[in-house]
Amino acid sequence: MAGISLRALDKVYPGGVHAVDGLDLDIDDGEFFALLGPSGCGKTTLLRTIAGLEVATGGTVLIGDRDVTTVSPARRDVAMVFQDYALFPHMTVIDNISYPLRIKRQSRSERRGKATEIGRQLGLAELMDRRPGALSGGQQQRVALARAVACHPALFLFDEPLSNLDARLRLEARTFLKRLQRELGVTTVFVTHDQAEALALADRIAVMEAGRIRQLGTPREVFGRPANTFVANFIGSTPMNLLDGQVRGETVAVAGGRLPIPAEAVGKVAEGEKVVVGVRPEYVRLSASGDGLAGEVSILENLGTTTLVTVDCAGELVGATVPEEDEPEPGAQVRLAPVAGRLLLYRAEGGELIGE
Ligand code: ATP
């Protein structure tokens, strides 16, 4: 098994697109690592460069302590699972799973024995003689995973492997994938544009934009303290409140009211400086009276056990998530107060978090 080190990695496509831009990254041995970002940010290119399916135009790729920058994919000891699973349609499930063992020239009885065992572990025992066309999307995904497991690789590379599944199956497959990775302990890099999936699965996440990493951290870090407004906007099922504000003494003037400057930003902002105030709806408390921003309830959105309340505060719309039993009436006058320690300040210029 092995970790991955990328040093000053570059990939410029022939047309001139700079898909990976001078990237440095260390992924630990046994880690479940997510590459997350919007369409076109370079995550698939990065994964394919680690796999050797794309050749880097600069920098190095190390798997363990071996420099594989110019090594062919077959000799990198990686197994890749693609979005469309890439199963062989004319082969049965058992032949698909045992294919990598055939390449390794194991005997027929040995490879059928191993494939049967892996298939059984992944709940495919009843399906071994079917062809991929006669399987559901979730079953095909498990066959693709079983084939990757049969390779016994040093690395798993997954390119959006759950994106063809419906919402419910996707949740099941997610749990399954996490358990499988824990059991096998194989270093795994997982590409997704779905922030909820990255938060649920990964030990650490790299949030990418335009071929670069904008934040590297645990799910808690990127959710709780986004390093810039790009990450703040991208992470979270309900969008983070990002409000224009201005420093006034010990406070920030924002949405027609005042909020105290967070402790870590004190002394790092100038009087009168324009800033962006960030706070997640989940960390905004709503009350009928008291401290905080004053406003009028405008929209209620049902999120299941909670409700997203949008409040008009002097023309700025601010979201707060409340338990369903505390839902206010539309038109009610309310106060909004951030939970202690959850208010973030960003530079108006460049959008970097203040006080890191
Ligand atoms: P998606 O989520 O849409 O798959 P991504 O983040 O995985 O996007 P990439 O597929 O890595 O992004 O693409 C990064 C950039 O490189 C994009 O601008 C894309 O248009 C470009 N690109 C990708 N493949 C090629 C190629 N073979 N030739 C030229 N440009 C390419």
Side-chain angles (χ1 to χ4, degrees), residues 54-87:
E54 298 290 346
V55 179
T57 45
T60 50
V61 179
L62 293 151
I63 297 180
D65 40 22
R66 183 169 160 237
D67 185 338
V68 297
T69 316
T70 55
V71 172
S72 72
R75 294 179 180 278
R76 289 194 186 195
D77 200 12
V78 303
M80 192 150 168
V81 175
F82 299 91
Q83 194 171 345
D84 61 2
Y85 314 133
L87 298 174

Side-chain angles (χ1 to χ4, degrees), residues 190-243:
F190 182 95
V191 161
T192 180
H193 63 270
D194 179 343
Q195 54 85 31
E197 201 158 277
L199 290 174
L201 280 171
D203 296 318
R204 281 191 308 155
I205 301 172
V207 185
M208 292 181 64
E209 182 192 27
R212 298 185 181 184
I213 295 175
R214 296 299 312 268
Q215 186 170 9
L216 176 65
T218 63
R220 256 183 230 298
E221 285 162 357
V222 294
F223 182 84
R225 291 188 69 75
N228 45 64
T229 48
F230 173 81
V231 176
N233 258 318
F234 196 75
I235 302 266
S237 303
T238 50
M240 188 190 267
N241 296 298
L242 291 169
L243 309 164

Side-chain angles (χ1 to χ4, degrees), residues 11-20 36-48 54 83 159-160 191-193 208 211:
K11 175 67 188 179
V12 183
Y13 282 111
V17 178
H18 210 150
V20 176
L36 174 69
S39 183
C41 72
K43 35 192 203 303
T44 296
T45 302
L46 181 56
L47 195 77
R48 289 173 61 84
E54 298 290 346
Q83 194 171 345
D159 191 0
E160 307 237 13
V191 161
T192 180
H193 63 270
M208 292 181 64

Side-chain angles (χ1 to χ4, degrees), residues 161-173:
L162 309 183
S163 60
N164 284 342
L165 307 180
D166 66 39
R168 190 160 163 265
L169 206 53
R170 203 172 164 137
L171 282 182
E172 273 176 34

